[in-house]
Each structure stands twice: as C-alpha cells, then as structure tokens.
Amino acid sequence: MRPAGGAGTGSDSERLGWPKRFLVRVLHVYFALSRGMTLGVRAACFDEAGRIFLVRHTYVPGWHLPGGGVERGETAMDALIKEMREEGNLEAISVPALFHVYFNARISGRDHVLLYRVDVRQTAERPADREIAEAGFFPLDALPEGTTEATRLRIAELRGETSPAHYW
C-alpha cells in the first residue's frame, strides 16, 4: 500500500537540500542550549489489522514512527497523544505502554527518546502539508522503501526478534 502524497523522484536528502538540513541542525543546537536535556517521544501505532503507522517528514529523510519533543510543562503522555493526533489523526484505543527508553547520541549528548506501543484508530486521513510529506499504515513485512534503520530496529525489537538496544 502506498499512502497518498506520492514519493516523487530523487532521494530524500536531495529533495531536502542544504537549507532545510541546515535549519534542522540550527534547531537542534537551539534545543540543546535552551533545554538541559532533550526528551522525545515516539509511538509505535498499530491498527486493528496489525499494521504500523509511519510518517515521512518534509525536513528529514526517511520513514519514521510518529513523535516529537516533550516541551517544558508538558508530560510525556501529553506529548505522545499530541504528536499522534498532529502527525496522523490517530487516537489511542489502548493505554500507551512504555516499551523502552533510548539514548539518542546522534542528536546530542543529552537526548533521550521514550518509545511507546499503542493500538490506534485513525479519525481522518492525514493529508500532506509543510511538516508531513506522506503518512500511512504498513504491514510489518512490507515497510516502505526509505524506512530508517532506527525505525526498522525498533520494529524488530517490538516484534521480539531482538532485545531492545539502549541507543536509538
């Protein structure tokens, strides 16, 4: 299944160009300076058919689990529910279960990611916009081309094929 939005041509890094890559880096530096430690949440969202929901952002290459940063004054659960809604029009039909905590050294020396597993339903299709290029549900054995290595590893961990790593 290919979600709406079309993949286009060329690699994600070619489509992003240096201005967007530079902006992403500047934002990470800003977050590192404005926060003592950065904390993010990701959701492994499964529909009733057992498919996983993935998103392809406009500003970083590859397909990812939905998620984002936890802001000051926001709980991890609030951030998770907000990101699921914003990135996929998803609502939880089970209590999100914390699966594992990861250190994300690729972002900074202070970034951690909380990965939750949750059963969801989509309240409306997620159209493409400035943040999300494409989004959709995929069978675990048919992930889209360009799914990041970190996303593939998290899915293997969730399936019990490998023990959870401590690094994202």
Side-chain angles (χ1 to χ4, degrees), residues 4-163:
T9 59
S11 72
D12 281 334
S13 58
E14 289 171 346
R15 282 193 301 271
L16 288 176
W18 72 267
K20 284 188 178 179
R21 288 192 309 268
F22 177 75
L23 177 60
V24 167
R25 185 67 190 141
V26 167
L27 288 172
H28 284 292
V29 169
Y30 166 75
F31 292 140
L33 295 174
S34 66
R35 302 172 180 163
M37 179 184 88
T38 56
L39 180 64
V41 292
R42 293 277 179 172
C45 299
F46 293 91
D47 69 3
E48 69 283 346
R51 299 174 304 167
I52 194 160
F53 189 82
L54 299 176
V55 297
R56 191 172 66 78
H57 294 95
T58 58
Y59 52 89
V60 292
W63 288 88
H64 302 266
L65 299 168
V70 178
E71 301 298 329
R72 287 185 183 185
E74 183 177 51
T75 69
M77 191 61 61
D78 288 343
L80 185 77
I81 298 301
K82 175 186 74 180
E83 294 295 339
M84 288 174 18
R85 184 184 66 252
E86 289 177 357
E87 294 190 1
N89 291 325
L90 303 173
E91 78 179 16
I93 58 173
S94 68
V95 176
L98 179 62
F99 177 75
H100 198 68
V101 178
Y102 301 87
F103 177 55
N104 190 3
R106 286 180 238 162
I107 297 298
S108 76
R110 325 179 262 215
D111 189 53
H112 289 78
V113 178
L114 307 176
L115 175 61
Y116 290 84
R117 191 212 181 282
V118 59
D119 296 320
V120 299
R121 83 173 128 247
Q122 192 170 38
T123 59
E125 237 181 86
R126 176 56 164 90
D129 62 17
R130 290 182 156 203
E131 180 186 3
I132 305 296
E134 296 178 272
F137 286 97
F138 298 91
L140 296 177
D141 61 354
L143 299 176
E145 184 178 329
T147 300
T148 66
E149 183 63 23
T151 300
R152 289 182 183 278
L153 289 170
R154 301 301 77 86
I155 292 169
E157 293 167 0
L158 286 156
R159 294 178 80 177
E161 296 169 356
T162 184
S163 296

